[in-house]
Amino acid sequence: MKILLIGTGNVGRTLAARLMETAHEVKMITRDPESTKERPIKNVGTFKDWMDGYSGLELIAYTEISETPDIIINATNGNQSLNALEMMPAKIMEGSVLLDLSNGLDTSKGMPPSLTVCNDDSLGEQIQRAFPKTYVVKSLNTMNCEIMLDPSKVDGAHDVFMSGNKADAKSKVKSLLNSTGWKNENIIDLGDISTARGTEMLLPVWLRLWQHFGHANFNFKIVK
Amino acid sequence: MKILLIGTGNVGRTLAARLMETAHEVKMITRDPESTKERPIKNVGTFKDWMDGYSGLELIAYTEISETPDIIINATNGNQSLNALEMMPAKIMEGSVLLDLSNGLDTSKGMPPSLTVCNDDSLGEQIQRAFPKTYVVKSLNTMNCEIMLDPSKVDGAHDVFMSGNKADAKSKVKSLLNSTGWKNENIIDLGDISTARGTEMLLPVWLRLWQHFGHANFNFKIVK
């Protein structure tokens, strides 16, 4: 699939690397590619050094996007997602499938953080309201980025949730997930985008589990 | 163990029945036992008819509690829990272990309900603040009442969380859980009572999963 990936941080790079491994065409989006390429990346060198490990991976500016992809992935910090998406060309956003995996953490009240939005709203819904002509699918937001597109990182069966208003858009995201190792039986379609409230509200227990286990290599499974 | 069980609704009756089956001594607490006994119970007759199925099960008034139990279980509706607990004799509450499994649902904004408290507070913490000399342990609140004290109701391994400030109190609750079939490897102690925020916030996704599956016979498992 042709993927536009917004977010050049750890999550974005982890997903880009795995998408390249699983034979997708990936363009990463940033404000200023030249400046991003010079950014230091721990244990690697620069962003450009990191990119050089993935032949064919592109890094382009928001203004350089010319082609509608199969899926746009929002891998930005949830607190910045709306701002980042506003920089996308309107004609690219319209009619596109947007896989949103963001979480909004509020660290102003200490650690562990609380959520910036929850209970009667969600980031997924906020993005859907801001871009009513885009098909927002919330998914992958309930696990560490290493697992998102590589479920084999955790031993045994575990689940991924999906929320979105448009069935076709969810099917497209499902195909992407399948291509990275997710089995249909482990993809739970909860319903419309308002169900993202439920999955975004998993983050507080996820954070406590992370503290408890001392690592992030775990995921939720619904046993029935 | 000697159990005082507050709550005579479906959750309270389900737990009382299972506690009797697993050889615990159960006193159910209500405001007016005579009136409660006459209450109609669907498919059974009256509350008294239901009680007659469990030899030794007692139903007493708050004012009739004379003995400190091993564990007090709060099985009331979360919106009524503080009021119900205020009716408990202070000398019984002081120094007791209170297993709180309540959830606070706000149905005023339509279905599915939102939570009455979340994100920067929890019902577990509210109860702990209201009763600082009681050892509150939040647990069992993330699953249907049929599973709470009978994990075998769901096939395969699945998990129960625990939050509380006092290690001894959590050990006592753990012993109770063990006696009903929970294995130690499936009891996850998340830490102090503030971690109840995380488990109480599982309810919104639980409600959506209930809608999705069409039944409540499922539970969370953390796969790692």
Side-chain angles (χ1 to χ4, degrees):
Chain A
M1 286 187 184
K2 292 179 180 177
I3 308 287
L4 281 186
L5 179 60
I6 315 173
T8 55
N10 179 50
V11 178
R13 293 195 306 276
T14 302
L15 299 185
R18 177 66 180 156
L19 287 166
M20 295 301 293
E21 269 178 26
T22 52
H24 295 283
E25 279 179 48
V26 185
K27 288 187 170 75
M28 296 181 84
I29 312 301
T30 191
R31 273 180 232 222
D32 178 352
E34 291 316 307
S35 152
T36 298
K37 281 179 186 163
E38 287 167 23
R39 193 199 303 160
I41 305 291
K42 205 176 165 183
N43 301 328
V44 177
T46 64
F47 193 96
K48 186 178 178 305
D49 293 331
W50 171 80
M51 272 190 78
D52 287 346
Y54 302 93
S55 172
L57 176 61
E58 290 184 55
L59 177 71
I60 62 173
Y62 287 91
T63 51
E64 292 175 306
I65 303 171
S66 57
E67 196 186 1
T68 298
D70 293 303
I71 295 179
I72 302 168
I73 299 180
N74 173 34
T76 64
N77 177 323
N79 300 333
Q80 300 301 327
S81 293
L82 283 170
N83 288 338
L85 291 166
E86 289 293 352
M87 288 190 279
M88 290 287 290
K91 68 170 201 289
I92 298 293
M93 287 294 280
E94 273 188 38
S96 279
V97 175
L98 174 69
L99 167 54
D100 171 42
L101 45 88
S102 64
N103 280 301
L105 295 178
D106 177 2
T107 55
S108 68
K109 293 165 199 156
M111 296 299 282
S114 53
L115 299 179
T116 51
V117 54
C118 69
N119 208 20
D120 56 1
D121 200 2
S122 62
L123 279 175
E125 288 166 278
Q126 287 181 341
I127 293 170
Q128 183 62 83
R129 286 197 302 273
F131 300 92
K133 293 178 179 170
T134 301
Y135 304 115
V136 179
V137 178
K138 187 95 197 189
S139 191
L140 297 174
N141 55 308
T142 55
M143 65 196 80
N144 187 252
C145 63
E146 297 282 345
I147 306 166
M148 288 180 180
L149 297 179
D150 192 357
S152 72
K153 284 275 168 73
V154 172
D155 287 337
H158 51 96
D159 297 328
V160 59
F161 304 102
M162 193 176 277
S163 306
N165 296 339
K166 181 90 169 175
D168 289 355
K170 288 191 278 195
S171 294
K172 210 176 248 191
V173 170
K174 205 169 183 177
S175 296
L176 177 68
L177 297 187
N178 290 154
S179 77
T180 67
W182 285 101
K183 292 179 184 166
N184 282 343
E185 70 213 54
N186 296 117
I187 303 174
I188 301 177
D189 180 355
L190 290 172
D192 68 28
I193 192 67
S194 77
T195 64
R197 292 176 203 181
T199 63
E200 291 182 12
M201 286 170 82
L202 288 175
L203 193 63
V205 83
W206 187 94
L207 290 167
R208 297 298 194 151
L209 288 164
W210 181 34
Q211 287 186 321
H212 176 74
F213 296 134
H215 66 81
N217 199 43
F218 62 87
N219 193 19
F220 298 97
K221 162 81 187 152
I222 308 303
V223 182
K224 59 181 195 296
Chain B
M1 285 185 184
K2 293 179 180 178
I3 308 286
L4 282 186
L5 179 61
I6 315 173
T8 55
N10 179 50
V11 178
R13 293 196 306 278
T14 302
L15 298 185
R18 177 66 180 155
L19 287 166
M20 295 302 292
E21 270 177 27
T22 52
H24 295 282
E25 280 180 48
V26 184
K27 288 188 169 76
M28 296 181 84
I29 312 300
T30 191
R31 273 181 232 223
D32 178 351
E34 290 317 307
S35 154
T36 298
K37 281 178 185 164
E38 287 166 24
R39 193 198 303 161
I41 305 291
K42 205 176 165 183
N43 301 328
V44 177
T46 63
F47 193 97
K48 186 178 178 306
D49 294 331
W50 171 79
M51 272 190 78
D52 287 346
Y54 302 94
S55 171
L57 176 62
E58 290 184 56
L59 178 70
I60 62 173
Y62 287 90
T63 50
E64 292 174 307
I65 302 171
S66 58
E67 196 186 0
T68 298
D70 293 304
I71 295 178
I72 302 169
I73 299 180
N74 173 34
T76 64
N77 177 322
N79 300 332
Q80 300 301 327
S81 292
L82 284 170
N83 288 339
L85 291 167
E86 289 291 352
M87 288 189 280
M88 290 288 289
K91 70 172 199 289
I92 299 293
M93 288 294 279
E94 274 188 37
S96 279
V97 175
L98 175 69
L99 166 54
D100 171 41
L101 45 88
S102 64
N103 280 300
L105 295 179
D106 177 3
T107 55
S108 68
K109 293 166 199 157
M111 298 298 282
S114 54
L115 299 179
T116 51
V117 54
C118 70
N119 207 20
D120 56 3
D121 201 2
S122 62
L123 279 174
E125 288 166 278
Q126 287 181 342
I127 293 170
Q128 183 61 84
R129 286 197 301 272
F131 300 94
K133 292 178 180 171
T134 301
Y135 303 115
V136 180
V137 178
K138 187 95 198 189
S139 191
L140 297 174
N141 55 307
T142 54
M143 66 196 80
N144 188 253
C145 62
E146 298 281 345
I147 306 166
M148 287 180 182
L149 297 179
D150 193 357
S152 72
K153 285 274 167 72
V154 172
D155 287 338
H158 51 96
D159 297 329
V160 59
F161 304 102
M162 192 176 278
S163 308
N165 296 340
K166 181 89 170 176
D168 288 356
K170 288 190 277 194
S171 294
K172 209 176 248 189
V173 171
K174 203 168 184 179
S175 296
L176 177 69
L177 297 188
N178 290 154
S179 77
T180 67
W182 285 102
K183 293 179 183 166
N184 283 343
E185 69 212 54
N186 297 117
I187 303 174
I188 300 177
D189 180 353
L190 290 172
D192 68 29
I193 192 67
S194 77
T195 64
R197 294 176 201 181
T199 64
E200 292 182 12
M201 287 170 82
L202 288 175
L203 193 64
V205 82
W206 187 94
L207 289 166
R208 297 298 194 149
L209 287 164
W210 182 33
Q211 287 185 321
H212 175 75
F213 296 134
H215 66 80
N217 201 41
F218 62 86
N219 193 20
F220 298 96
K221 163 81 187 150
I222 307 303
V223 182
K224 60 180 194 297

